[in-house]
């Protein structure tokens, strides 16, 4: 398969243009070309969602996209965030996790952590959506299920992931009566 030039924005930084095989899966591009191995290859068939990244759309919304079944060239010109892009580091080297990451740690939401990057991205998309439009209390559980429900955790850590996501939404004041 011939190479084609690929250019995108990744975790706020421009990448490329670089010549990339036209049929290269995004997860292979991240792992093999950029050495970003945080996006996990689970099923490789679009089922487990361990491999999702975040795509930030021009209208300000964002979405999860599975990288095992999506070609790298789909992301051409797009703004993409991976698990490596969430934490920040100050000049002294102190790392600050994003609120979801920190809450997952605080509440021991994962065990082996293989699924954790996907859950972090899923919950981050939900929290950011709620920052634009708070979630009605009556819809909270459905919204969490819609965001996290496709993600498979083989250590069966679902309850704590859900608890942590709910806690972040509540603590940030993103749940309103209704
Ligand atoms: S590895 Fe992509 S959905 Fe399972
Ligand atoms: S914590 Fe092990 S797969 Fe989810």
């Amino acid at each position: 398969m011939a190479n084609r030039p690929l250019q995108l924005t990744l975790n706020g930084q421009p990448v490329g243009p670089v010549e990339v095989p036209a049929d290269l899966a995004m997860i292979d591009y991240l792992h093999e070309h950029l050495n970003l191995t945080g996006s996990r290859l689970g099923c490789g068939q679009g089922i487990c969602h361990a491999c999702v990244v975040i795509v930030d759309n021009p209208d300000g919304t964002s979405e999860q996209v599975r990288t095992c079944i999506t070609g790298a060239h789909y992301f051409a010109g797009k703004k993409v965030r991976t698990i490596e892009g969430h934490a920040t580091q100050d000049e002294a080297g102190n790392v600050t996790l994003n609120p979801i990451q920190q809450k997952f740690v605080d509440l021991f939401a994962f065990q082996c952590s293989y699924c954790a990057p996907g859950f972090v991205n899923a919950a981050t998309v939900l929290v950011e959506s709620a920052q634009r439009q708070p979630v009605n209390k009556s819809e909270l559980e459905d919204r969490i299920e819609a965001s996290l429900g496709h993600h498979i955790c083989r250590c069966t850590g679902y309850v704590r992931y859900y608890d942590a996501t709910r806690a972040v939404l509540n603590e940030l004041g993103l749940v309103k009566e209704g």
Side-chain angles (χ1 to χ4, degrees), residues 18-122:
V18 289
E19 291 290 323
V20 172
D23 62 348
L24 185 70
M26 183 59 166
I27 195 158
D28 292 328
Y29 177 58
L30 293 171
H31 287 188
E32 306 298 334
H33 292 246
L34 301 178
N35 200 28
L36 294 175
T37 56
S39 301
R40 300 285 165 73
L41 180 63
C43 66
Q45 299 178 345
I47 299 167
C48 74
H49 285 61
C51 64
V52 300
V53 296
I54 300 172
V55 172
D56 293 315
N57 297 314
D59 66 0
T61 64
S62 55
E63 58 186 309
Q64 309 176 48
V65 180
R66 290 164 288 181
T67 57
C68 70
I69 57 168
T70 309
H73 286 280
Y74 168 82
F75 297 88
K78 296 187 184 333
K79 293 181 178 177
V80 180
R81 284 181 283 160
T82 67
I83 189 66
E84 290 89 351
H86 292 307
T88 56
Q89 190 170 13
D90 66 18
E91 290 180 357
N94 300 310
V95 173
T96 301
L97 300 177
N98 89 0
I100 286 292
Q101 290 176 303
Q102 188 61 57
K103 191 61 76 178
F104 282 2
V105 171
D106 292 345
L107 297 188
F108 302 97
F110 50 82
Q111 296 176 51
C112 81
S113 84
Y114 199 82
C115 64
F119 274 95
V120 167
N121 285 339

